[in-house]
Coordinates of all heavy atoms in Angstrom, one line a residue:
M1 N 16.9 25.7 -8.9 CA 16.2 24.4 -8.8 C 14.8 24.7 -8.5 O 14.4 25.5 -7.7 CB 16.9 23.6 -7.7 CG 16.4 22.2 -7.6 SD 17.5 21.3 -6.5 CE 16.5 19.9 -6.2
A2 N 13.9 23.8 -9.1 CA 12.5 24.0 -8.9 C 12.1 23.6 -7.4 O 12.7 22.8 -6.8 CB 11.7 23.1 -9.9
E3 N 11.1 24.3 -7.0 CA 10.6 24.1 -5.6 C 9.7 22.8 -5.6 O 9.0 22.5 -6.5 CB 9.7 25.3 -5.3 CG 9.1 25.4 -4.0 CD 8.1 26.6 -3.9 OE1 8.0 27.4 -4.8 OE2 7.5 26.7 -2.8
W4 N 9.8 22.1 -4.4 CA 9.0 21.0 -4.2 C 7.6 21.5 -3.7 O 7.5 22.3 -2.7 CB 9.6 20.0 -3.1 CG 10.7 19.2 -3.7 CD1 12.0 19.5 -3.5 CD2 10.6 18.1 -4.5 NE1 12.8 18.6 -4.2 CE2 11.9 17.7 -4.8 CE3 9.6 17.3 -5.0 CZ2 12.2 16.5 -5.6 CZ3 9.8 16.2 -5.8 CH2 11.1 15.8 -6.1
L5 N 6.5 21.0 -4.3 CA 5.2 21.5 -4.0 C 4.3 20.4 -3.5 O 4.4 19.3 -4.0 CB 4.5 22.1 -5.3 CG 5.3 23.2 -6.0 CD1 4.8 23.4 -7.4 CD2 5.2 24.5 -5.2
D6 N 3.5 20.7 -2.5 CA 2.6 19.7 -1.9 C 1.5 19.4 -2.8 O 0.9 20.3 -3.4 CB 2.1 20.3 -0.6 CG 1.3 19.2 0.2 OD1 1.9 18.4 0.9 OD2 0.0 19.2 0.0
A7 N 1.3 18.1 -3.0 CA 0.2 17.6 -4.0 C -0.9 17.0 -3.2 O -2.1 17.3 -3.5 CB 0.8 16.7 -5.0
C8 N -0.6 16.0 -2.3 CA -1.7 15.3 -1.7 C -1.1 14.5 -0.5 O 0.1 14.4 -0.4 CB -2.5 14.4 -2.6 SG -1.5 13.0 -3.2
G9 N -1.9 13.8 0.2 CA -1.5 12.9 1.3 C -1.0 11.6 0.7 O -1.6 11.1 -0.3
E10 N 0.1 11.0 1.2 CA 0.6 9.8 0.7 C -0.5 8.7 0.9 O -0.7 7.8 0.0 CB 1.9 9.4 1.4 CG 2.6 8.2 0.8 CD 3.9 7.9 1.5 OE1 4.3 8.6 2.5 OE2 4.6 7.0 1.0
D11 N -1.1 8.7 2.0 CA -2.2 7.6 2.2 C -3.3 7.7 1.2 O -3.8 6.7 0.8 CB -2.8 7.8 3.6 CG -1.8 7.3 4.7 OD1 -0.8 6.7 4.4 OD2 -2.1 7.6 5.9
D12 N -3.6 8.9 0.8 CA -4.7 9.1 -0.2 C -4.3 8.5 -1.5 O -5.1 7.9 -2.2 CB -5.0 10.6 -0.4 CG -5.7 11.2 0.8 OD1 -6.2 10.5 1.7 OD2 -5.5 12.4 1.0
L13 N -3.0 8.7 -1.9 CA -2.6 8.1 -3.2 C -2.5 6.6 -3.1 O -2.8 5.9 -4.0 CB -1.2 8.8 -3.6 CG -0.7 8.3 -4.9 CD1 -1.7 8.5 -6.1 CD2 0.6 9.1 -5.2
I14 N -2.0 6.1 -2.0 CA -1.9 4.7 -1.8 C -3.3 4.0 -1.9 O -3.5 3.0 -2.6 CB -1.2 4.3 -0.5 CG1 0.2 4.7 -0.5 CG2 -1.4 2.8 -0.1 CD1 1.0 4.6 0.8
A15 N -4.3 4.7 -1.3 CA -5.6 4.1 -1.3 C -6.3 4.2 -2.7 O -6.9 3.2 -3.1 CB -6.5 4.9 -0.3
A16 N -6.0 5.3 -3.4 CA -6.7 5.5 -4.7 C -5.9 4.8 -5.8 O -6.5 4.4 -6.8 CB -6.8 7.0 -5.0
G17 N -4.6 4.7 -5.7 CA -3.8 4.2 -6.8 C -3.4 5.3 -7.8 O -2.3 5.3 -8.3
C18 N -4.4 6.1 -8.1 CA -4.1 7.3 -9.0 C -5.0 8.4 -8.6 O -6.1 8.2 -8.2 CB -4.2 7.0 -10.5 SG -5.9 6.5 -11.0
L19 N -4.5 9.6 -8.7 CA -5.3 10.8 -8.4 C -4.9 11.9 -9.3 O -3.8 12.0 -9.8 CB -4.9 11.3 -7.0 CG -5.4 10.5 -5.7 CD1 -4.7 11.1 -4.5 CD2 -6.9 10.6 -5.6
S20 N -5.9 12.9 -9.5 CA -5.6 14.1 -10.2 C -5.7 15.2 -9.2 O -6.7 15.3 -8.5 CB -6.6 14.4 -11.3 OG -6.3 13.5 -12.4
V21 N -4.7 16.1 -9.1 CA -4.7 17.2 -8.2 C -4.2 18.5 -8.9 O -3.3 18.4 -9.7 CB -3.8 16.9 -6.9 CG1 -4.4 15.8 -6.1 CG2 -2.4 16.6 -7.3
P22 N -4.9 19.6 -8.6 CA -4.4 20.8 -9.1 C -3.2 21.3 -8.3 O -3.2 21.3 -7.0 CB -5.6 21.8 -8.9 CG -6.4 21.2 -7.8 CD -6.1 19.7 -7.8
V23 N -2.1 21.6 -9.0 CA -0.9 22.2 -8.3 C -0.5 23.4 -9.1 O -0.1 23.3 -10.2 CB 0.3 21.1 -8.3 CG1 1.5 21.7 -7.5 CG2 -0.2 19.8 -7.6
E24 N -0.5 24.5 -8.4 CA -0.1 25.8 -9.0 C -0.8 26.0 -10.4 O -0.1 26.4 -11.3 CB 1.4 25.9 -9.1 CG 2.0 25.9 -7.7 CD 3.1 26.9 -7.5 OE1 3.9 27.1 -8.5 OE2 3.2 27.5 -6.4
G25 N -2.1 25.7 -10.5 CA -2.8 26.0 -11.7 C -2.7 24.9 -12.8 O -3.3 25.0 -13.8
R26 N -1.9 23.8 -12.5 CA -1.8 22.7 -13.4 C -2.5 21.5 -12.8 O -2.3 21.2 -11.6 CB -0.4 22.4 -13.7 CG 0.4 23.4 -14.5 CD 1.8 22.9 -14.8 NE 2.7 23.9 -14.5 CZ 4.0 23.8 -14.8 NH1 4.5 22.7 -15.4 NH2 4.9 24.7 -14.5
L27 N -3.1 20.7 -13.7 CA -3.7 19.4 -13.2 C -2.6 18.4 -13.3 O -2.0 18.1 -14.4 CB -4.9 19.0 -14.0 CG -5.7 17.8 -13.4 CD1 -6.3 18.2 -12.1 CD2 -6.7 17.4 -14.4
V28 N -2.2 17.8 -12.2 CA -1.1 16.8 -12.1 C -1.8 15.4 -11.9 O -2.6 15.3 -10.9 CB -0.1 17.2 -11.0 CG1 0.9 16.1 -10.9 CG2 0.5 18.5 -11.4
A29 N -1.4 14.4 -12.6 CA -1.8 13.1 -12.4 C -0.7 12.4 -11.6 O 0.5 12.4 -12.0 CB -2.0 12.3 -13.7
L30 N -1.1 11.7 -10.5 CA -0.2 11.0 -9.6 C -0.6 9.5 -9.7 O -1.8 9.2 -9.6 CB -0.3 11.5 -8.2 CG 0.0 13.0 -8.0 CD1 -0.5 13.4 -6.6 CD2 1.5 13.2 -8.1
F31 N 0.4 8.7 -9.7 CA 0.2 7.2 -9.8 C 1.1 6.5 -8.8 O 2.2 7.0 -8.5 CB 0.5 6.7 -11.2 CG -0.3 7.3 -12.2 CD1 0.1 8.4 -12.9 CD2 -1.6 6.7 -12.6 CE1 -0.6 9.0 -13.9 CE2 -2.3 7.3 -13.6 CZ -1.9 8.4 -14.3
R32 N 0.6 5.4 -8.2 CA 1.5 4.5 -7.4 C 1.5 3.2 -8.2 O 0.4 2.6 -8.4 CB 0.9 4.3 -6.0 CG 1.8 3.5 -5.2 CD 1.4 3.5 -3.7 NE 2.3 2.9 -2.9 CZ 2.3 1.6 -2.5 NH1 1.3 0.8 -2.9 NH2 3.2 1.1 -1.7
H33 N 2.7 2.8 -8.6 CA 2.8 1.6 -9.4 C 4.1 0.8 -8.9 O 5.2 1.4 -8.8 CB 2.9 1.9 -10.8 CG 3.1 0.7 -11.7 ND1 2.2 -0.3 -11.8 CD2 4.1 0.4 -12.5 CE1 2.7 -1.2 -12.6 NE2 3.8 -0.8 -13.1
D34 N 3.9 -0.4 -8.6 CA 5.0 -1.3 -8.1 C 5.8 -0.6 -6.9 O 7.0 -0.6 -6.8 CB 6.1 -1.5 -9.2 CG 5.5 -2.6 -10.2 OD1 4.6 -3.3 -9.9 OD2 6.1 -2.6 -11.3
G35 N 5.0 0.1 -6.1 CA 5.6 0.6 -4.9 C 6.3 2.0 -5.1 O 6.8 2.5 -4.1
S36 N 6.2 2.5 -6.3 CA 6.9 3.8 -6.6 C 5.8 4.8 -7.0 O 4.7 4.4 -7.4 CB 7.9 3.7 -7.7 OG 9.0 2.8 -7.3
Y37 N 6.2 6.1 -6.9 CA 5.2 7.1 -7.3 C 5.7 7.8 -8.6 O 6.9 7.9 -8.8 CB 5.2 8.2 -6.1 CG 4.7 7.6 -4.8 CD1 5.6 7.6 -3.7 CD2 3.4 7.1 -4.7 CE1 5.1 7.1 -2.5 CE2 3.0 6.6 -3.5 CZ 3.8 6.6 -2.4 OH 3.4 6.1 -1.2
Y38 N 4.7 8.2 -9.3 CA 5.0 8.9 -10.6 C 4.0 10.1 -10.7 O 2.9 10.0 -10.3 CB 4.8 7.9 -11.8 CG 5.7 6.7 -11.7 CD1 5.2 5.5 -11.1 CD2 7.0 6.7 -12.2 CE1 6.1 4.4 -10.9 CE2 7.8 5.6 -12.0 CZ 7.4 4.5 -11.4 OH 8.2 3.4 -11.2
A39 N 4.5 11.1 -11.4 CA 3.7 12.3 -11.6 C 3.9 12.8 -13.0 O 5.0 12.7 -13.6 CB 4.1 13.4 -10.6
M40 N 2.8 13.2 -13.6 CA 2.8 13.7 -15.0 C 1.6 14.6 -15.2 O 0.8 14.8 -14.4 CB 2.8 12.6 -16.0 CG 1.7 11.6 -15.9 SD 2.2 10.0 -16.5 CE 3.5 9.5 -15.4
Q41 N 1.6 15.2 -16.4 CA 0.5 16.1 -16.7 C -0.8 15.3 -16.6 O -0.9 14.2 -17.1 CB 0.7 16.8 -18.1 CG 0.5 15.9 -19.3 CD 0.7 16.6 -20.6 OE1 1.8 16.9 -20.9 NE2 -0.3 16.7 -21.4
G42 N -1.9 16.0 -16.1 CA -3.1 15.3 -15.9 C -4.0 15.3 -17.1 O -5.0 14.5 -17.1
I43 N -3.8 16.1 -18.1 CA -4.6 16.2 -19.3 C -4.0 15.5 -20.4 O -2.8 15.6 -20.7 CB -4.9 17.7 -19.6 CG1 -5.5 18.4 -18.4 CG2 -5.8 17.8 -20.9 CD1 -6.9 17.9 -18.1
C44 N -4.8 14.7 -21.1 CA -4.3 13.9 -22.3 C -3.6 14.8 -23.3 O -4.1 16.0 -23.5 CB -5.5 13.2 -22.9 SG -5.0 12.1 -24.3
T45 N -2.6 14.3 -24.1 CA -2.0 15.1 -25.1 C -2.8 15.1 -26.4 O -2.5 15.8 -27.4 CB -0.6 14.6 -25.4 OG1 -0.7 13.2 -25.8 CG2 0.3 14.7 -24.3
H46 N -3.9 14.3 -26.5 CA -4.7 14.2 -27.7 C -5.9 15.1 -27.6 O -6.4 15.6 -28.6 CB -5.1 12.8 -27.9 CG -5.9 12.5 -29.1 ND1 -7.3 12.2 -29.0 CD2 -5.6 12.5 -30.4 CE1 -7.7 12.0 -30.2 NE2 -6.7 12.2 -31.1
G47 N -6.5 15.3 -26.4 CA -7.7 16.2 -26.2 C -7.7 16.6 -24.8 O -6.8 16.5 -24.1
S48 N -8.9 17.2 -24.4 CA -8.9 17.7 -23.1 C -9.6 16.8 -22.1 O -10.6 17.1 -21.4 CB -9.7 19.1 -23.1 OG -11.0 18.9 -23.6
A49 N -9.1 15.6 -22.0 CA -9.6 14.6 -21.1 C -8.7 14.5 -19.9 O -7.5 14.5 -20.0 CB -9.7 13.2 -21.8
T50 N -9.3 14.3 -18.7 CA -8.6 14.0 -17.5 C -8.2 12.6 -17.4 O -9.1 11.7 -17.3 CB -9.5 14.4 -16.3 OG1 -9.8 15.8 -16.4 CG2 -8.7 14.2 -15.0
L51 N -6.9 12.3 -17.5 CA -6.5 10.9 -17.6 C -6.9 10.0 -16.5 O -7.3 8.8 -16.7 CB -5.0 10.9 -17.8 CG -4.5 11.4 -19.1 CD1 -3.0 11.6 -19.1 CD2 -4.9 10.5 -20.3
T52 N -6.9 10.5 -15.3 CA -7.2 9.6 -14.2 C -8.7 9.2 -14.1 O -9.1 8.4 -13.3 CB -6.8 10.2 -12.8 OG1 -7.4 11.4 -12.6 CG2 -5.3 10.3 -12.8
K53 N -9.5 9.8 -15.0 CA -10.9 9.4 -15.1 C -11.0 8.1 -16.0 O -12.1 7.5 -16.1 CB -11.8 10.5 -15.6 CG -12.0 11.6 -14.7 CD -12.9 12.7 -15.2 CE -13.1 13.8 -14.1 NZ -13.9 14.9 -14.7
G54 N -9.9 7.8 -16.6 CA -9.9 6.5 -17.4 C -9.4 5.4 -16.5 O -9.5 5.4 -15.3
K55 N -9.0 4.3 -17.2 CA -8.5 3.1 -16.5 C -7.0 3.3 -16.2 O -6.3 3.8 -16.9 CB -8.7 1.9 -17.3 CG -10.2 1.5 -17.4 CD -10.3 0.2 -18.2 CE -11.8 -0.1 -18.4 NZ -11.9 -1.1 -19.5
F56 N -6.6 2.6 -15.1 CA -5.2 2.5 -14.7 C -4.9 1.1 -14.5 O -5.4 0.5 -13.5 CB -4.9 3.4 -13.5 CG -3.6 3.2 -12.9 CD1 -2.4 3.1 -13.7 CD2 -3.4 3.2 -11.5 CE1 -1.2 3.0 -13.1 CE2 -2.2 3.0 -10.9 CZ -1.0 2.9 -11.8
E57 N -4.2 0.4 -15.4 CA -3.9 -1.0 -15.2 C -2.6 -1.4 -15.9 O -2.2 -0.8 -16.9 CB -5.0 -1.8 -15.9 CG -5.2 -1.5 -17.4 CD -6.5 -2.1 -18.0 OE1 -7.4 -2.4 -17.2 OE2 -6.4 -2.4 -19.2
N58 N -1.9 -2.3 -15.2 CA -0.6 -2.8 -15.7 C 0.4 -1.7 -16.1 O 1.1 -1.8 -17.1 CB -0.8 -3.7 -17.0 CG -1.7 -4.8 -16.7 OD1 -1.7 -5.4 -15.6 ND2 -2.6 -5.1 -17.6
G59 N 0.4 -0.7 -15.2 CA 1.4 0.4 -15.4 C 1.1 1.4 -16.5 O 1.9 2.2 -16.9
E60 N -0.2 1.3 -17.1 CA -0.6 2.2 -18.1 C -1.9 2.9 -17.7 O -2.7 2.3 -17.0 CB -0.9 1.5 -19.4 CG 0.4 1.0 -20.1 CD 0.1 0.5 -21.5 OE1 -1.0 -0.1 -21.7 OE2 0.8 0.8 -22.4
V61 N -2.0 4.2 -18.1 CA -3.3 4.9 -17.9 C -3.9 5.0 -19.3 O -3.2 5.2 -20.3 CB -3.1 6.3 -17.2 CG1 -2.2 7.2 -18.1 CG2 -4.4 6.9 -16.9
I62 N -5.2 4.7 -19.3 CA -5.9 4.7 -20.6 C -6.9 5.8 -20.6 O -7.8 5.9 -19.7 CB -6.7 3.3 -20.7 CG1 -5.6 2.2 -20.7 CG2 -7.4 3.3 -22.0 CD1 -6.3 0.8 -20.5
C63 N -6.8 6.7 -21.5 CA -7.6 7.9 -21.6 C -9.1 7.6 -21.7 O -9.5 6.7 -22.5 CB -7.2 8.7 -22.8 SG -8.2 10.2 -23.0
P64 N -10.0 8.2 -21.0 CA -11.4 7.9 -21.0 C -12.1 8.3 -22.3 O -13.2 7.8 -22.6 CB -12.0 8.7 -19.8 CG -11.0 9.8 -19.6 CD -9.7 9.3 -20.0
L65 N -11.4 9.2 -23.1 CA -12.1 9.8 -24.2 C -12.0 8.9 -25.5 O -12.9 8.5 -26.1 CB -11.7 11.2 -24.5 CG -12.6 12.1 -25.2 CD1 -14.0 12.1 -24.5 CD2 -12.1 13.6 -25.2
H66 N -10.7 8.6 -25.9 CA -10.5 7.8 -27.1 C -9.5 6.6 -26.8 O -9.0 6.0 -27.7 CB -9.9 8.7 -28.2 CG -10.6 9.9 -28.5 ND1 -10.1 11.2 -28.2 CD2 -11.9 10.1 -28.9 CE1 -11.0 12.1 -28.5 NE2 -12.1 11.5 -28.9
Q67 N -9.3 6.3 -25.5 CA -8.6 5.1 -25.1 C -7.1 5.2 -25.5 O -6.4 4.2 -25.7 CB -9.2 3.8 -25.6 CG -10.5 3.5 -24.9 CD -11.6 4.4 -25.3 OE1 -12.0 4.6 -26.4 NE2 -12.2 5.1 -24.3
G68 N -6.5 6.4 -25.7 CA -5.1 6.5 -25.8 C -4.4 6.0 -24.6 O -4.9 6.1 -23.5
R69 N -3.2 5.4 -24.7 CA -2.5 4.8 -23.6 C -1.2 5.4 -23.3 O -0.5 5.8 -24.3 CB -2.3 3.3 -23.9 CG -3.5 2.5 -24.2 CD -3.2 1.1 -24.7 NE -3.0 0.2 -23.6 CZ -4.0 -0.5 -23.0 NH1 -5.2 -0.5 -23.6 NH2 -3.8 -1.3 -22.0
F70 N -0.8 5.6 -22.1 CA 0.4 6.1 -21.7 C 1.1 5.3 -20.6 O 0.4 4.8 -19.7 CB 0.2 7.6 -21.1 CG -0.4 8.5 -22.1 CD1 -1.7 8.7 -22.2 CD2 0.4 9.3 -23.0 CE1 -2.3 9.6 -23.0 CE2 -0.1 10.2 -23.9 CZ -1.5 10.3 -23.9
C71 N 2.4 5.2 -20.6 CA 3.1 4.5 -19.6 C 3.2 5.5 -18.4 O 3.6 6.6 -18.6 CB 4.5 4.1 -20.1 SG 5.6 3.5 -18.8
V72 N 2.8 5.0 -17.2 CA 2.9 5.9 -16.1 C 4.3 6.1 -15.5 O 4.6 7.0 -14.7 CB 1.9 5.5 -14.9 CG1 0.5 5.5 -15.4 CG2 2.3 4.2 -14.3
K73 N 5.3 5.2 -15.9 CA 6.6 5.4 -15.5 C 7.3 6.5 -16.3 O 8.2 7.2 -15.8 CB 7.4 4.1 -15.6 CG 7.0 3.0 -14.6 CD 7.9 1.8 -14.7 CE 7.6 0.8 -13.7 NZ 8.4 -0.4 -13.8
T74 N 7.0 6.6 -17.6 CA 7.8 7.4 -18.4 C 7.0 8.5 -19.1 O 7.5 9.5 -19.7 CB 8.4 6.6 -19.6 OG1 7.4 6.0 -20.4 CG2 9.3 5.5 -19.0
G75 N 5.6 8.4 -19.1 CA 4.8 9.3 -19.8 C 4.7 9.0 -21.3 O 4.0 9.7 -22.0
E76 N 5.4 8.0 -21.7 CA 5.4 7.6 -23.1 C 4.0 7.2 -23.7 O 3.3 6.5 -23.0 CB 6.4 6.5 -23.4 CG 6.5 6.1 -24.9 CD 7.4 4.9 -25.0 OE1 7.9 4.3 -24.1 OE2 7.5 4.4 -26.2
A77 N 3.6 7.8 -24.8 CA 2.4 7.4 -25.5 C 2.7 6.0 -26.1 O 3.6 5.7 -26.8 CB 2.1 8.3 -26.6
T78 N 1.8 5.0 -25.7 CA 2.1 3.6 -26.0 C 1.0 3.0 -26.9 O 1.1 1.8 -27.3 CB 2.2 2.7 -24.7 OG1 1.0 2.9 -23.9 CG2 3.4 3.1 -24.0
G79 N -0.1 3.7 -27.1 CA -1.1 3.1 -28.0 C -2.3 4.0 -28.2 O -2.5 5.0 -27.5
G80 N -3.2 3.6 -29.1 CA -4.4 4.5 -29.4 C -4.0 5.7 -30.2 O -3.0 5.7 -30.8
P81 N -4.9 6.7 -30.3 CA -4.7 7.8 -31.2 C -3.7 8.9 -30.6 O -3.9 10.0 -31.0 CB -6.1 8.3 -31.4 CG -6.7 8.1 -30.0 CD -6.1 6.8 -29.5
V82 N -2.8 8.5 -29.7 CA -1.9 9.5 -29.1 C -0.5 9.3 -29.7 O 0.0 8.2 -29.8 CB -2.0 9.4 -27.6 CG1 -3.3 9.9 -27.0 CG2 -1.6 8.0 -27.1
W83 N 0.1 10.4 -30.0 CA 1.5 10.4 -30.5 C 2.4 11.1 -29.5 O 3.6 10.8 -29.5 CB 1.5 11.2 -31.8 CG 0.7 10.6 -32.9 CD1 -0.6 11.0 -33.3 CD2 0.9 9.4 -33.6 NE1 -1.1 10.2 -34.2 CE2 -0.2 9.2 -34.5 CE3 2.0 8.5 -33.7 CZ2 -0.3 8.1 -35.4 CZ3 1.9 7.5 -34.6 CH2 0.8 7.3 -35.4
D84 N 1.9 12.2 -28.9 CA 2.8 13.0 -28.0 C 2.8 12.4 -26.6 O 1.7 12.1 -26.0 CB 2.3 14.4 -28.0 CG 2.4 15.1 -29.3 OD1 3.3 14.8 -30.1 OD2 1.5 15.9 -29.7
D85 N 4.0 12.3 -26.0 CA 4.2 11.8 -24.7 C 3.7 12.8 -23.7 O 3.6 14.0 -24.0 CB 5.7 11.5 -24.4 CG 6.2 10.5 -25.3 OD1 5.5 9.7 -25.9 OD2 7.5 10.4 -25.4
L86 N 3.4 12.4 -22.5 CA 3.0 13.2 -21.4 C 4.2 13.8 -20.7 O 5.3 13.2 -20.7 CB 2.3 12.4 -20.3 CG 0.9 11.8 -20.7 CD1 0.4 10.9 -19.6 CD2 -0.1 12.9 -20.9
K87 N 4.1 15.1 -20.3 CA 5.2 15.7 -19.5 C 5.2 15.1 -18.2 O 4.2 15.0 -17.5 CB 5.0 17.2 -19.4 CG 6.1 17.9 -18.7 CD 5.9 19.4 -18.8 CE 6.9 20.2 -18.1 NZ 8.3 19.7 -18.2
T88 N 6.4 14.6 -17.7 CA 6.5 14.0 -16.4 C 7.2 15.0 -15.4 O 7.9 15.9 -15.8 CB 7.3 12.7 -16.5 OG1 8.6 13.0 -17.0 CG2 6.7 11.7 -17.4
Y89 N 6.9 14.8 -14.2 CA 7.4 15.6 -13.1 C 8.1 14.8 -12.1 O 7.8 13.6 -11.9 CB 6.3 16.4 -12.4 CG 5.4 17.2 -13.3 CD1 4.1 16.9 -13.5 CD2 6.0 18.2 -14.1 CE1 3.3 17.6 -14.3 CE2 5.2 19.0 -15.0 CZ 3.8 18.7 -15.1 OH 3.0 19.4 -15.9
Q90 N 9.1 15.4 -11.4 CA 9.8 14.7 -10.3 C 8.7 14.6 -9.1 O 7.9 15.5 -8.9 CB 11.0 15.5 -9.8 CG 12.1 15.6 -10.8 CD 12.7 14.3 -11.0 OE1 13.1 13.6 -10.1 NE2 12.9 14.0 -12.3
V91 N 8.8 13.5 -8.4 CA 7.8 13.3 -7.3 C 8.6 12.5 -6.2 O 9.5 11.7 -6.4 CB 6.6 12.5 -7.8 CG1 7.0 11.1 -8.4 CG2 5.6 12.3 -6.7
R92 N 8.2 12.9 -4.9 CA 8.7 12.1 -3.8 C 7.7 12.2 -2.7 O 6.8 13.1 -2.6 CB 10.1 12.6 -3.4 CG 10.1 14.0 -2.8 CD 11.5 14.4 -2.5 NE 11.6 15.8 -2.2 CZ 11.8 16.4 -1.0 NH1 11.9 15.6 0.0 NH2 12.0 17.7 -0.9
A93 N 7.9 11.3 -1.7 CA 7.1 11.3 -0.5 C 7.9 11.8 0.7 O 9.1 11.4 0.8 CB 6.6 9.9 -0.2
E94 N 7.3 12.6 1.5 CA 8.0 13.1 2.7 C 7.0 13.4 3.8 O 6.0 14.1 3.5 CB 8.8 14.4 2.3 CG 9.6 14.9 3.4 CD 10.4 16.2 3.0 OE1 11.3 16.0 2.2 OE2 10.0 17.3 3.5
N95 N 7.2 12.8 4.9 CA 6.4 13.1 6.1 C 4.9 12.9 5.8 O 4.0 13.7 6.2 CB 6.6 14.5 6.6 CG 8.0 14.7 7.1 OD1 8.6 13.8 7.6 ND2 8.5 15.9 6.9
G96 N 4.6 11.8 5.0 CA 3.2 11.5 4.7 C 2.6 12.3 3.6 O 1.3 12.2 3.4
R97 N 3.4 13.1 3.0 CA 2.8 14.0 1.9 C 3.5 13.6 0.6 O 4.7 13.1 0.6 CB 3.1 15.5 2.1 CG 2.5 16.0 3.4 CD 1.0 15.9 3.5 NE 0.3 16.7 2.4 CZ -1.0 16.7 2.2 NH1 -1.8 15.9 2.9 NH2 -1.5 17.4 1.2
I98 N 2.8 13.8 -0.5 CA 3.4 13.6 -1.9 C 3.8 15.0 -2.4 O 2.9 15.9 -2.4 CB 2.4 12.9 -2.8 CG1 2.1 11.5 -2.3 CG2 3.0 12.9 -4.2 CD1 3.2 10.5 -2.4
L99 N 5.0 15.1 -2.8 CA 5.5 16.4 -3.3 C 5.9 16.3 -4.7 O 6.4 15.2 -5.1 CB 6.8 16.8 -2.5 CG 6.6 16.9 -0.9 CD1 7.9 17.2 -0.3 CD2 5.5 17.8 -0.5
V100 N 5.7 17.3 -5.5 CA 6.1 17.3 -6.9 C 6.9 18.6 -7.2 O 6.8 19.6 -6.6 CB 4.9 17.2 -7.9 CG1 4.1 15.9 -7.7 CG2 3.9 18.4 -7.7
Q101 N 7.7 18.4 -8.3 CA 8.5 19.5 -8.8 C 8.0 19.7 -10.2 O 8.1 18.9 -11.1 CB 10.0 19.2 -8.9 CG 10.8 19.7 -7.8 CD 12.3 19.4 -8.1 OE1 12.7 18.7 -9.0 NE2 13.1 20.1 -7.3
L102 N 7.4 20.9 -10.5 CA 6.8 21.1 -11.8 C 7.9 21.6 -12.8 O 7.7 21.5 -14.0 CB 5.7 22.1 -11.8 CG 4.5 21.7 -10.9 CD1 3.4 22.7 -11.0 CD2 4.0 20.3 -11.3
G103 N 9.0 22.0 -12.4 CA 10.1 22.4 -13.2 C 9.9 23.6 -14.1 O 8.9 24.2 -14.1
Ligands
FES201 S1 -8.4 12.8 -25.6 FE1 -7.2 11.2 -24.9 S2 -7.0 9.8 -26.5 FE2 -8.3 11.4 -27.3

């Protein structure tokens, strides 16, 4: 079973709504939506854009480079020039920290 890895403070994610953090050499995008947390790859599947530098609205993150859209609950590509879904990760909060499993 994959190890749970520390990503960031829960308060930081609540305040920001979305964050990109490096975890074991990978950029992980973290989102808080409808009171739940979601984690997925931080780089767009279409190019080398950091997704959290784009917009995050209505449960979707919009890539800053070509406006590809992804569902933050599932990582599914939902619009724009993107076809490949984002890889998602298990995420949970514990003792004020956000933990992820990169699998
Ligand atoms: S790099 Fe994200 S849509 Fe092109």
Side-chain angles (χ1 to χ4, degrees):
M1 185 167 164
E3 183 183 357
W4 285 99
L5 303 166
D6 186 81
C8 69
E10 186 175 8
D11 287 348
D12 294 335
L13 183 54
I14 289 171
C18 65
L19 285 174
S20 288
V21 292
V23 181
E24 297 221 325
R26 290 187 226 185
L27 190 66
V28 175
L30 299 166
F31 300 92
R32 183 169 189 267
H33 177 61
D34 285 345
S36 297
Y37 299 116
Y38 301 93
M40 55 205 64
Q41 73 181 68
I43 301 295
C44 185
T45 57
H46 181 250
S48 59
T50 300
L51 288 170
T52 58
K53 290 184 177 173
K55 290 184 185 163
F56 171 42
E57 58 188 24
N58 302 321
E60 287 189 321
V61 62
I62 302 167
C63 179
L65 208 49
H66 310 113
Q67 289 70 56
R69 304 173 82 94
F70 299 92
C71 172
V72 302
K73 289 185 177 179
T74 63
E76 181 186 359
T78 54
V82 292
W83 301 100
D84 296 324
D85 298 343
L86 296 169
K87 181 170 178 47
T88 59
Y89 305 119
Q90 295 294 312
V91 60
R92 68 182 164 108
E94 182 178 293
N95 298 326
R97 303 296 300 175
I98 297 293
L99 308 176
V100 296
Q101 263 187 347
L102 298 185

